[in-house]
Amino acid sequence: MSVLFSPLTMRGMTVRNRLWVAPMCMYSVFDKDGIPGDWHLTHLGALATGGAGLILTEATAVNAEGRITDHDTGLWNDAQQEEWERIVGFVHSQGAAIGIQLAHAGRKASTYPAWGTEKTGTVPVSDGGWDTVGPSPVAFGRYSPPQELDAAGIRTVIDDFVQAAVRSVAAGFDVLEIHAAHGYLLHQFLSPLSNIRTDEFGGDLANRARLLLEIVRQTRAAIGEEVPLLVRFSATDYADGGVTPEEIATVSGWVHAAGADLVDVSSGGNISGVTIPLSPGYQVEFAELVRRTADVPTSAVGLLTTAQQAEAVITSGAADAVMMGREFLRDPHFALRAAHVLGVDLPYWPGQYERARWQNAS
């Protein structure tokens, strides 16, 4: 029996396998109102029929100013919640679990989408953009510098994360993930390269993690004890003076104690122009370090493209689950194919696709 296709239980829910879909931005809210639409239903629905265990949505902003682009999804009002309910319902009808990644882009907000335009960087207010915020007035590369969040602004960010979490549960999401990676707001607070504050939210690691920990604690209190809560980290900034894997392992232990159930370990995104040593599975070692030193369940991600790679990550003990992104874009039914490759006869093969089942699976 493949370990990759064994179930994983977190709190009050069980995911049918350990091959999960990583959050991937679609930049497809063309009305610029944060409301997911038919594209999101079709995209996420196909992944559900394709056999994935847990599907995480794209980074979904907890308020309007927290969007990476004006084409991002959000969850700060009733209309957005209602459309997410429709999508969640279909994913559930296919037997998959679905989680939402709650995010605030901080200094990397108000940018042009990654496709559909030749423009890049910060969208000026005169072109429909907005002023960005961050822990300190330190710009990301050539982006516009953010306004430093004051105490009232920090309280608003915490409240917006908590309220979005409450809406997520009301919409039926099985899992919530707090996005503290890839150079977005909570990562900006964690890194001394983007956080040069001298108050209780800056300085040593405990202070830099204070905002994230408060969001985790208040989110856990607001959503109760049954809903699994994940946190996504970047384990390194790939730059001198930035966050290190050892620091992220320490913070992982703290968020686990505060109510998080699993840490989703990625890397990079906070410093422009750095060299990232890309190779198949290049981030797995970070997930393994966190799992081993902090004794926290982890998921691994990063150029994992084959069933054999994913199986090896789990059997080696490096992580408890595997996240894939681009491979699921290439083949939304990759989980069905992976099960065949590993000799697993899935009991949840879609009936509509029965004629396409590989006959030698056993």
Side-chain angles (χ1 to χ4, degrees):
M1 179 65 186
S2 162
V3 180
L4 184 66
F5 282 92
S6 64
L8 179 63
T9 297
M10 298 181 290
R11 293 190 182 257
M13 60 91 62
T14 298
V15 184
R16 64 187 178 183
N17 64 52
R18 298 163 188 250
L19 183 53
W20 300 352
V21 180
M24 293 176 284
C25 289
M26 295 288 105
Y27 306 115
S28 295
V29 181
F30 303 115
D31 289 338
K32 304 181 180 182
D33 55 10
I35 300 174
D38 288 344
W39 170 266
H40 304 88
L41 172 66
T42 303
H43 166 63
L44 296 169
L47 296 164
T49 62
L54 171 65
I55 301 161
L56 285 170
T57 70
E58 62 196 84
T60 298
V62 299
N63 59 35
E65 75 175 8
R67 292 173 296 167
I68 306 167
T69 80
D70 59 11
H71 283 47
D72 287 10
T73 57
L75 189 49
W76 66 82
N77 63 41
D78 291 344
Q80 294 159 351
Q81 181 179 322
E82 289 172 5
E83 284 303 299
W84 279 122
E85 288 177 14
R86 179 172 72 111
I87 293 167
V88 167
F90 181 80
V91 171
H92 284 164
S93 75
Q94 303 307 302
I98 183 168
I100 186 166
Q101 186 185 63
L102 299 177
H104 190 301
R107 67 178 185 170
K108 293 178 75 175
S110 188
T111 60
Y112 290 100
W115 68 275
T117 177
E118 295 181 354
K119 297 180 179 180
T120 60
T122 301
V123 180
V125 174
S126 60
D127 197 20
W130 56 91
D131 293 328
T132 62
V133 297
S136 303
V138 178
F140 174 78
R142 296 183 179 180
Y143 289 13
S144 297
Q147 299 175 357
E148 180 172 306
L149 280 166
D150 59 14
I154 288 174
R155 287 196 298 272
T156 297
V157 167
I158 295 170
D159 290 344
D160 288 344
F161 267 96
V162 173
Q163 290 306 309
V166 171
R167 286 187 176 278
S168 299
V169 174
F173 282 101
D174 303 291
V175 173
L176 278 60
E177 178 172 86
I178 295 172
H179 197 359
H182 298 166
Y184 299 121
L185 183 64
L186 301 184
H187 183 179
Q188 292 162 27
F189 268 87
L190 286 170
S191 174
L193 295 178
S194 46
N195 181 352
I196 57 174
R197 302 174 74 99
T198 57
D199 63 3
E200 68 270 30
F201 293 97
D204 64 19
L205 182 61
N207 279 357
R208 287 182 276 120
R210 189 181 302 275
L211 174 58
L212 171 61
L213 289 171
E214 192 59 34
I215 289 171
V216 171
R217 291 191 193 99
Q218 291 198 27
T219 296
R220 173 53 67 200
I223 66 176
E225 295 299 320
E226 292 300 306
V227 179
L229 181 61
L230 281 54
V231 177
R232 177 166 252 199
F233 285 112
S234 283
T236 175
D237 285 331
Y238 296 106
D240 292 341
V243 292
T244 67
E246 292 75 20
E247 286 181 321
I248 293 304
T250 297
V251 179
S252 294
W254 294 345
V255 297
H256 188 52
D261 300 290
L262 182 144
V263 171
D264 175 10
V265 188
S266 186
S267 66
N270 194 43
I271 303 301
S272 177
V274 298
T275 299
I276 298 177
L278 300 175
S279 63
Y282 71 104
Q283 295 173 144
V284 173
E285 64 179 288
F286 302 137
E288 183 175 18
L289 174 68
V290 170
R291 191 174 190 265
R292 183 180 70 251
T293 62
D295 194 25
V296 176
T298 63
S299 62
V301 66
L303 297 184
L304 297 169
T305 60
T306 71
Q308 295 90 340
Q309 281 178 313
E311 179 80 3
V313 169
I314 306 300
T315 57
S316 70
D320 299 270
V322 169
M323 296 269 194
M324 285 189 178
R326 291 175 176 84
E327 194 59 33
F328 273 112
L329 292 183
R330 287 184 281 264
D331 179 4
H333 303 107
F334 174 78
L336 300 180
R337 182 182 297 277
H340 165 70
V341 169
L342 296 174
V344 178
D345 190 4
L346 289 181
Y348 43 84
W349 186 282
Q352 297 92 331
Y353 296 167
E354 189 65 36
R355 288 170 294 177
R357 182 191 285 264
W358 288 278
Q359 297 304 309
N360 63 341
S362 59

